[in-house]
Amino acid sequence: ENGYTLATLFYNAMKVSHKKGVYKVPGAVETILDMPDFDIEVICDGIHVPPLMVHLAYATKGRERMALTTDALLYTGTPSDFKDPTGHAIVEDGVCKLSDRSALAGSIATMDLLIRTAVKKARIPLIDAVYMASTTPARIMGIQDTKGALEPGKDADILFLDEELERRGRIQVVDRHRSPRRSSSTSRDAMPVARLNRAKSTRALGVTAPRRLRRARRSPPMGESRATGSPLLVTSKVSPA
């Protein structure tokens, strides 16, 4: 009612149901879950939010209103025992903590880790996990006319994963000469999970991806994926470029 439309880092530092006098009252978490048009972002690294709670948010909001986010800090990609020279934070147990270990300081997760956690631990269907890591974030940020799905006219940003949902490579193509287009709603099947039958050929993607993708060159496996890319999950084995 006051213009708020998005809850960032949902669950974290948010009050849940509590007692006020002798009565229980809903907290921010329950209130937001009850608002059908309210978007949420969840850090799905398996640490910030327990997988059970991730599944509960997904079951309530669905893929259209829930986005996966990393909340990754500049420490992402550092060794598992990294310590900030300034003494502010340390990397430990797969997450960034304050140096005195009194609280979490942030995440070191990448987007592929969020997909694995959502599917393997939070029991979210693969197609919906991918949707929440691409199409929904693009819509929230207002860039759905160029990002968020494998559709003609959109940037062909593709992340390749194997059967275990581990990174194997990516393709990133941007048409710098495209004129602005009005945004249109994305259909449920606009971003399919596809099988790449010929790992070395991009022709197999011609049915799903924009035509200019066929001329794209494979780039090396990335160190960090982008939330607003248009991932194509590959279920056959793909060798790194």
Side-chain angles (χ1 to χ4, degrees):
E1 295 178 359
N2 295 303
Y4 295 106
T5 60
L6 173 65
T8 61
L9 311 187
F10 187 67
Y11 284 125
N12 295 105
M14 288 187 180
K15 184 173 289 188
V16 296
S17 177
H18 56 283
K19 292 189 70 174
K20 192 172 184 179
V22 296
Y23 303 103
K24 281 189 175 182
V25 295
V29 169
E30 293 83 10
T31 301
I32 292 171
L33 288 177
D34 186 56
M35 300 172 69
D37 297 329
F38 212 97
D39 295 319
I40 62 174
E41 295 177 352
V42 178
I43 306 175
C44 191
D45 62 354
I47 300 173
H48 279 77
V49 181
L52 176 62
M53 295 170 67
V54 174
H55 182 83
L56 174 62
Y58 163 75
T60 305
K61 285 292 185 179
R63 71 179 195 171
E64 297 292 344
R65 292 295 177 182
M66 175 172 160
L68 305 184
T69 185
T70 64
D71 190 38
L73 301 179
L74 74 166
Y75 308 109
T76 302
T78 58
S80 57
D81 58 349
F82 178 81
K83 295 183 178 180
D84 188 335
T86 66
H88 174 70
I90 61 173
V91 173
E92 186 178 70
D93 301 326
V95 72
C96 185
K97 304 176 183 177
L98 296 181
S99 56
D100 62 0
R101 296 179 174 83
S102 61
L104 298 180
S107 166
I108 58 171
T110 51
M111 290 302 297
D112 58 302
L113 174 61
L114 305 191
I115 295 294
R116 288 194 297 276
T117 302
V119 174
K120 296 184 176 183
K121 296 182 179 180
R123 297 174 289 120
I124 295 175
L126 178 59
I127 186 66
D128 287 353
V130 174
Y131 194 95
M132 294 188 294
S134 54
T135 304
T136 301
R139 192 262 305 163
I140 291 174
M141 289 186 284
I143 57 175
Q144 66 269 38
D145 58 340
T146 58
K147 302 287 185 181
L150 288 177
E151 294 179 333
K154 294 188 178 183
D155 296 338
D157 302 333
I158 303 174
L159 173 65
F160 292 87
L161 305 178
D162 61 17
E163 291 93 337
E164 298 302 318
L165 304 181
E166 297 286 347
R167 286 195 311 267
R168 286 297 176 265
R170 72 169 176 174
I171 295 176
Q172 183 177 15
V173 181
V174 177
D175 185 353
R176 302 182 184 277
H177 302 290
R178 181 183 53 238
S179 58
R181 299 189 307 121
R182 294 183 61 183
S183 300
S184 59
S185 59
T186 303
S187 64
R188 181 174 179 85
D189 297 320
M191 186 187 60
V193 176
R195 179 176 296 273
L196 182 61
N197 295 319
R198 288 179 290 177
K200 294 298 183 179
S201 174
T202 56
R203 293 182 181 177
L205 305 178
V207 175
T208 308
R211 182 178 298 276
R212 65 177 180 276
L213 175 61
R214 302 177 188 178
R215 301 192 298 272
R217 293 184 303 169
R218 290 283 304 279
S219 61
M222 61 182 172
E224 183 175 0
S225 56
R226 299 191 307 172
T228 58
S230 303
L232 172 66
L233 296 190
V234 180
T235 55
S236 60
K237 294 183 179 180
V238 178
S239 301

